Amino acid sequence: MRMRIVDAFTDRPFTGNPAGVLLLDTFPEDDWLQRVAREINHPETAFAHPLPEDAEAHWALRWFTPATEVAMCGHATLATAHVLYTTGAHTGPVRFATRSGVLSAAPADDGSITLDFPTASLTPVEVPDGVAEALGAAPSTVVDTGASVGDLLVELADEKTVRALEPDLHALAACSARGVIATARAEDPARGYDYVSRCFFPNVGIDEDPVTGSAHTALAPFWSARLGRDDLTGLQASARSGLVRTTVRGERTLLAGHAVTVVEGDLLV
């Protein structure tokens, strides 16, 4: 079967967030899927297969980190849609049946792809014990992103503080179900982004995720409320870096970005 590696939320190879993508006839056993994801060893590997014409979606989609299956992944969904479009396996808007319900993607004339995801529920909370020490920076605001995302969203003083973080990942793992999203307002919006973030997910085997679509379902409403605009652009300031254009539409959030295939080959087992 064909295996592809796609860099998502970027239009340049070796940036953005890499994802493995395999289009299958059906899903094999979970253990096989997990072993393949561990072998590919990228933040996520997506597995998809077509559904019958009378199904609620066009394709079934699952995502695995090297350590575990996850309930939602934005960048690997973008990567899967990119593979469907570039191979001709699907044209036009596509609906995916996932553990997080039906998610959709649609191509645009500029080559970007827009994902339609549920908006995360945001609940302000007191700063949990140990978070500041684990991050190495004092939060000004902490928000629980709800069960669909499973992170703590932590606002820090400024962009420089976010970029300089060197967290204690072992300590950070005890702070939330999946991980911690650190964010701050952009120092200079003229650079093309409104807010900056970094995402640490030690509980699912990802110390720092390069660009996280699911996190932006929380970042988008968080910053839209503060900045007074529904349409924003977020920069995830990892070593690879990537841009996510976000639009909040009530209970749904649109995530838009580009993707590029960097590897294509045969999986022999």
Side-chain angles (χ1 to χ4, degrees):
M1 65 191 70
R2 299 298 282 172
M3 179 195 74
R4 296 166 178 87
I5 294 174
V6 177
D7 290 341
F9 291 115
T10 182
D11 58 3
R12 296 179 293 114
F14 314 127
T15 59
N17 201 351
V21 179
L22 288 89
L23 304 183
L24 310 170
D25 295 326
T26 188
F27 289 139
E29 294 182 358
D30 290 0
D31 181 65
W32 185 90
L33 299 173
Q34 187 63 72
R35 287 172 180 268
V36 171
R38 190 176 302 120
E39 184 75 13
I40 292 175
N41 201 34
H42 281 314
E44 306 280 352
T45 296
F47 302 91
H49 71 75
L51 293 171
E53 290 187 4
D54 59 351
E56 64 175 352
H58 302 104
W59 291 75
L61 178 62
R62 296 172 70 180
W63 313 278
F64 287 76
T65 76
T68 189
E69 184 173 10
V70 297
M72 181 188 295
C73 180
H75 89 275
T77 304
L78 181 67
T80 303
H82 170 79
V83 169
L84 293 177
Y85 297 143
T86 56
T87 62
H90 192 93
T91 58
V94 57
R95 291 165 61 84
F96 297 106
T98 78
R99 288 176 58 182
S100 293
V102 175
L103 308 175
S104 65
D109 292 340
D110 65 356
S112 68
I113 296 169
T114 298
L115 307 178
D116 183 334
F117 272 43
T119 302
S121 62
L122 304 182
T123 305
V125 297
E126 296 294 325
V127 180
D129 292 342
V131 168
E133 293 78 8
L135 276 175
S140 59
T141 305
V142 179
V143 175
D144 187 312
T145 62
S148 66
V149 177
D151 300 325
L152 283 182
L153 191 157
V154 175
E155 183 182 7
L156 300 179
D158 51 35
E159 180 176 334
K160 291 179 181 178
T161 302
V162 173
R163 289 182 177 273
L165 289 176
E166 295 182 4
D168 179 339
L169 294 167
H170 179 74
L172 208 62
C175 295
S176 71
R178 182 175 73 162
V180 172
I181 306 165
T183 188
R185 187 176 303 205
E187 182 178 309
D188 180 8
R191 295 176 180 171
Y193 55 93
D194 301 288
Y195 57 91
V196 65
S197 66
R198 289 174 67 191
C199 295
F200 307 98
F201 305 135
N203 286 330
V204 293
I206 303 171
D207 289 346
E208 180 171 3
D209 198 35
V211 191
T212 314
S214 59
H216 283 78
T217 67
L219 287 162
F222 181 85
W223 285 111
S224 288
R226 280 161 171 70
L227 300 177
R229 289 184 287 123
D230 291 334
D231 298 306
L232 300 172
T233 298
L235 171 72
Q236 195 153 330
S238 65
R240 293 176 61 101
S241 188
L243 291 171
V244 183
R245 301 195 309 271
T246 61
T247 302
V248 177
R249 292 183 175 173
E251 295 183 354
R252 308 297 296 183
T253 293
L254 306 183
L255 312 172
H258 289 80
V260 56
T261 301
V262 294
V263 174
E264 183 173 347
D266 292 322
L267 183 66
L268 301 179
V269 293

